[in-house]
Amino acid sequence: MAKNGFFIACAAVLVLFLPDRGDTAEIQELLPVVRREIKGDRALGYVRRIWQYDKWSTLPMWKKSAQEACAIMKERGFDEAEVINTPADGVASYGTWTNPIGWDCGEASLVVTEPADIPGEYRFLANYKYNPSSLTFFSCPTPPEGIEAEIAVLDKPDPEALGRLDARGKIILVSSGAGRLKRYLDRNGIYGVVCDNEIEGHPEANAWLNTWSDSPGGWLMNAADSRNGFCFAISKAKGDYLRKLISEGKTVKVRAMVKSRYFTDDVLPYVTGCIRGSGSEGEEVLIGGHLFEWGANDNATGCAVMLETVGALNDLIRSGALPRPRRSIRIWMGQEMYGSLAFAEGNIGRLRKTLAAVCCDTPAPDYELLSSTIRVYMDCNVCPTFTDAVYPEVFRAYYRSIRSNKVIIISPFLGGTDTYFCEPMIGVPTNFVYMENGSPLHHCSLDTIDKVDVRSLRDLCVTNALYLYYMADAGLDNVPYMAQLTFDRGVQVILDKTAEMKARLASAQDGEALGKAMAEGVKAIGYYTGLQKDALTSIERVVSADEKVKVRKMTARYIEDTGAIGEMMKKQFTASAEEKAKSGNIRIVAYKEKSGPWEQEARTIVPKRKYFGSLTLDGIPVEEWKEVNSSPRWWSPGSWAAASYWWCDGKRNLLEVRECLELEAGYPVKNFDLINYYKFLEKQGFVEFVK
């Protein structure tokens, strides 16, 4: 009965507080105009033009790829289009990411020389000219005649197992983790690595391995890295064949030949361009993504989508079919993370006037597969924003008009690509779109031009064009719709968090556990309610300073109602806990948070970070690292080192930082001492402690 009463009350609240939203007329009016102008075939042509260079994964080809992207911008009449060069010397850094050295390769191959009587399909293991994904970039050169060595199988890709293996003067065969082994090759006298990562359902395919660094968690080779060691990727079928021969007691030898070179006197480019807005405030919206990866889908399609999207908008504006928007629409393309960090450092003033951004790191795969979905990633909790409600709605509106069964999946923030613009030192709300179809294209030899579907390209172009133009021209008139969308999403987030906390009550079997679950649930519901109120407040970004008061009046009701729903959910959650206690004859024990020596010290430490982006720990000997075994450069909610850094604003103490981490991850910090870690960071100059 209580449950029914609760849902009736909720329904009443939503009816009273939220008018019928419907679709925004502006997006619906834009849709046919934009869709007529977008050309999927033209975008596919851009994929070809970019991929012809990107697939080789060398610095000279990366430079050609950047020049090609810039040429396309100029062909489409962008108001600005330029290639910006940064040093490829292995020393220059942006944020804490160290630029790579230069690397080029003419040819490389891996051939079985012993036993002599094996089929040709297993004798010729890898050839860079025919399959560039078969060689890991930054692999060292061999003597001109190559290196002939025996293959030794390493069952577990870790340094201890490698140390126990008799592999001096040999080449090792592993099934994963090849890049993590690079720093151990020299000390064990090993020439190189062959890796046969499994591509599910495709034993004939090989992985593309894009990590070759001595730093744990590292990526591209910099000046501090050893210039020894090479790495080939072969198919699982070939790897299994070699393993079978070795298990039968046969000696397997291969000849590895790599004609590569290193250099430090060149440049790593990124590309930027824009179509100018009509406003005088210098505001922009941004779409960005990375060049320079092996795959046609990852990420030549993402770059082609950006070029066709902004190019089509430019054509519509120049022809008069669309008025010039208030804000400029900008593209960024370059090396993933390294290039966007260089862009951020050189354009921090511009980014602080950027209303919203999209990361377009996405394939455009088979349109027809039932498993084909659109996944839209939200911002992280440190950046509550209304764009998390608006961007997915553009996809829903588009697919409702053309294909109602298309699944739009909303996912939490994801790091590991150029999505970090949302972090507070930069402050640009950034959403990330990823088109999925269930096929294993990512980072493997299957990701070739024939896997790109022109219809998927068209859809990604249209949806991003709708969003970019809508946001570029957004003003006071758009606030009511944005507020409704943000309120809708906020209510759903609060309801979902309440359901999650209620599910935890089921596992509480005694009074202490129930009291703890009850206290944590109330805190979590309150916290996520606060985030949704902050997201509504962020709509003020859409207008000029003299209109912000009007926006506050327009959003005040939604903010108040969000708070009211949060309070209602806390009361309903508490009632559920009390019902469980009553039905189980359990006496709830009030939960008291621990306040020992660690907590007392944590309250006194208020770290303020010095660098934007994520930390790499480049240049610090691994033996001196504290609390981390791998670089904290890759953000995830449970990567305490990476996730905590963005909360360090010089106002929160470490106890408060820990609470933010746990509320976002949904589970407690374990086996990680924030005090020890931040004392290490303070010593290394990455943070300062505010007194």
Side-chain angles (χ1 to χ4, degrees):
M1 190 68 179
K3 185 184 289 186
N4 290 338
F6 160 71
F7 283 115
I8 291 169
C10 261
V13 167
L14 293 177
V15 169
L16 287 172
F17 290 175
L18 184 63
D20 180 29
R21 185 192 54 182
D23 289 323
T24 173
E26 186 172 345
I27 289 177
Q28 292 304 312
E29 290 171 5
L30 280 172
L31 178 53
V33 179
V34 169
R35 197 174 181 203
R36 282 194 298 269
E37 191 65 30
I38 296 289
K39 300 293 187 290
D41 288 335
R42 185 165 54 199
L44 183 60
Y46 296 160
V47 175
R48 290 193 178 98
R49 290 173 65 175
I50 291 168
W51 193 59
Q52 67 175 321
Y53 303 120
D54 273 359
K55 65 184 178 181
W56 298 104
S57 298
T58 67
L59 182 59
M61 289 301 181
W62 288 346
K63 291 167 62 181
K64 288 187 177 182
S65 177
Q67 291 160 3
E68 192 73 16
C70 188
I72 293 169
M73 293 182 194
K74 291 178 178 178
E75 290 166 17
R76 298 302 297 268
F78 283 29
D79 295 313
E80 297 176 19
E82 59 180 332
V83 175
I84 307 294
N85 292 322
T86 66
D89 58 3
V91 177
S93 63
Y94 299 92
T96 67
W97 288 60
T98 306
N99 266 22
I101 60 174
W103 181 79
D104 193 13
C105 184
E107 57 182 293
S109 61
L110 187 68
V111 181
V112 177
T113 58
E114 185 181 333
D117 56 342
I118 63 172
E121 62 184 298
Y122 299 116
R123 177 175 300 284
F124 300 100
L125 299 174
N127 190 307
Y128 173 72
K129 279 191 172 181
Y130 296 112
N131 175 14
S133 73
S134 64
L135 179 71
T136 299
F137 53 23
F138 297 99
S139 285
C140 74
T142 64
E145 68 279 8
I147 290 174
E148 185 172 12
E150 183 181 345
I151 291 285
V153 175
L154 181 65
D155 292 323
K156 190 176 180 182
D158 64 42
E160 290 185 5
L162 187 62
R164 293 191 298 268
L165 185 70
D166 179 20
R168 186 165 295 276
K170 298 179 182 179
I171 296 169
I172 56 171
L173 173 63
V174 298
S175 58
S176 64
R180 296 197 301 269
L181 295 172
K182 179 185 181 299
R183 63 191 297 252
Y184 302 103
L185 299 183
D186 277 357
R187 67 185 70 173
N188 287 284
I190 296 168
Y191 290 125
V193 183
V194 179
C195 189
D196 65 341
N197 286 58
E198 183 174 4
I199 310 300
E200 186 176 354
H202 295 272
E204 79 291 351
N206 63 267
W208 175 62
L209 307 175
N210 67 332
T211 297
W212 203 238
S213 168
D214 291 347
S215 179
W219 197 354
L220 307 185
M221 183 186 289
N222 63 41
D225 288 322
S226 161
R227 299 188 184 185
N228 295 323
F230 51 77
C231 182
F232 285 93
I234 65 174
S235 70
K236 188 63 178 170
K238 291 177 179 178
D240 285 346
Y241 185 82
L242 298 183
R243 292 170 192 274
K244 181 175 180 295
L245 293 177
I246 293 170
S247 69
E248 293 171 350
K250 296 178 181 177
T251 297
V252 175
K253 290 186 178 181
V254 296
R255 175 172 285 108
M257 184 273 291
V258 181
K259 293 185 178 180
S260 63
R261 66 185 181 95
Y262 300 116
F263 45 99
T264 58
D265 57 351
D266 213 324
V267 294
L268 178 70
Y270 70 79
V271 192
T272 185
C274 84
I275 54 177
R276 296 193 190 105
S278 62
S280 59
E281 298 84 0
E283 293 183 336
E284 297 187 347
V285 295
L286 172 69
I287 186 167
H290 62 85
L291 289 160
F292 311 155
E293 286 209 359
W294 141 257
N297 274 278
D298 184 18
N299 189 39
T301 56
C303 294
V305 164
M306 291 187 276
L307 292 165
E308 175 61 14
T309 293
V310 181
L313 288 176
N314 193 39
D315 291 345
L316 289 167
I317 291 164
R318 286 175 175 250
S319 70
L322 288 177
R324 189 167 292 275
R326 292 171 51 196
R327 300 174 183 86
S328 298
I329 301 173
R330 180 167 297 279
I331 285 180
W332 166 85
M333 299 180 195
Q335 178 64 254
E336 192 169 15
M337 298 300 293
Y338 297 87
S340 58
L341 284 158
F343 171 75
E345 185 167 306
N347 296 273
I348 195 68
R350 172 178 283 151
L351 286 167
R352 286 174 180 158
K353 291 185 177 181
T354 299
L355 177 64
V358 172
C359 178
C360 199
D361 176 1
T362 180
D366 192 339
Y367 188 83
E368 299 295 343
L369 288 184
L370 293 177
S371 57
S372 178
T373 62
I374 297 287
R375 188 175 294 272
V376 181
Y377 290 90
M378 303 290 95
D379 289 82
C380 53
N381 285 2
V382 78
C383 178
T385 170
F386 71 95
T387 69
D388 285 350
V390 177
Y391 189 55
E393 185 60 25
V394 172
F395 284 90
R396 295 188 192 104
Y398 173 66
Y399 282 109
R400 277 197 295 269
S401 70
I402 66 158
R403 191 180 182 193
S404 60
N405 66 337
K406 191 74 170 181
V407 177
I408 313 295
I409 301 172
I410 306 302
S411 292
F413 179 77
L414 182 71
T417 186
D418 304 288
T419 53
Y420 64 87
F421 288 112
C422 65
E423 65 99 329
M425 285 187 74
I426 301 173
V428 184
T430 304
N431 295 104
F432 167 30
V433 58
Y434 195 85
M435 185 176 280
E436 303 172 315
N437 72 349
S439 61
L441 295 178
H442 185 252
H443 283 197
C444 78
S445 60
L446 298 174
D447 191 359
T448 48
I449 199 78
D450 56 300
K451 307 298 193 311
V452 178
D453 193 317
V454 69
R455 296 165 297 179
S456 296
L457 276 175
R458 175 204 60 203
D459 283 1
L460 287 165
C461 291
V462 172
T463 45
N464 281 297
L466 288 170
Y467 180 71
L468 289 173
Y469 187 83
Y470 180 77
M471 296 300 288
D473 205 41
L476 191 63
D477 291 345
N478 303 99
V479 169
Y481 179 67
M482 291 176 172
Q484 290 174 18
L485 285 178
T486 306
F487 177 72
D488 275 0
R489 178 178 183 271
V491 170
Q492 190 60 57
V493 169
I494 295 167
L495 292 176
D496 289 346
K497 184 54 62 173
T498 303
E500 179 187 333
M501 294 299 105
K502 287 170 71 175
R504 292 190 183 185
L505 293 175
S507 61
Q509 300 301 316
D510 57 47
E512 286 189 3
L514 189 55
K516 185 171 187 273
M518 187 173 168
E520 290 177 344
V522 169
K523 179 188 285 187
I525 294 166
Y527 169 76
Y528 278 89
T529 299
L531 290 180
Q532 307 323 305
K533 293 166 71 174
D534 290 344
L536 283 160
T537 301
S538 75
I539 298 173
E540 292 180 17
R541 294 169 57 95
V542 172
V543 300
S544 58
D546 59 347
E547 292 180 318
K548 290 188 186 297
V549 173
K550 294 179 182 178
V551 174
R552 287 170 199 151
K553 290 179 180 178
M554 297 166 77
T555 57
R557 185 186 63 168
Y558 294 101
I559 294 171
E560 183 181 346
D561 295 349
T562 299
I565 289 174
E567 288 302 313
M568 184 186 301
M569 293 301 103
K570 286 196 283 187
K571 289 178 181 178
Q572 203 278 332
F573 171 77
T574 301
S576 295
E578 291 170 346
E579 281 186 23
K580 176 178 174 63
K582 184 177 179 181
S583 64
N585 197 25
I586 299 171
R587 183 178 67 84
I588 298 176
V589 177
Y591 176 65
K592 186 176 181 180
E593 292 187 353
K594 183 180 178 183
S595 184
W598 189 95
E599 286 75 16
Q600 292 172 21
E601 184 177 0
R603 287 190 185 95
T604 69
I605 299 175
V606 181
K608 182 178 181 180
R609 64 195 182 101
K610 296 183 179 181
Y611 294 90
F612 63 86
S614 58
L615 294 178
T616 64
L617 305 184
D618 283 352
I620 302 172
V622 175
E623 296 76 19
E624 297 178 17
W625 291 8
K626 303 294 184 184
E627 299 300 319
V628 288
N629 297 315
S630 188
S631 167
R633 72 181 72 209
W634 305 119
W635 191 100
S636 70
S639 174
W640 311 122
S644 62
Y645 194 60
W646 290 356
W647 291 105
C648 296
D649 58 357
K651 299 176 183 178
R652 297 179 181 89
N653 62 44
L654 282 182
L655 196 61
E656 293 167 325
V657 168
R658 187 181 72 176
E659 182 174 81
C660 292
L661 290 176
E662 293 179 341
L663 285 164
E664 184 158 22
Y667 48 88
V669 174
K670 289 185 177 180
N671 302 318
F672 188 88
D673 189 332
L674 282 167
I675 293 176
N676 195 31
Y677 179 61
Y678 275 90
K679 285 182 176 179
F680 159 68
L681 292 188
E682 195 264 347
K683 180 181 177 182
Q684 299 296 336
F686 294 118
V687 299
E688 61 178 316
F689 289 166
V690 176
K691 302 299 183 184

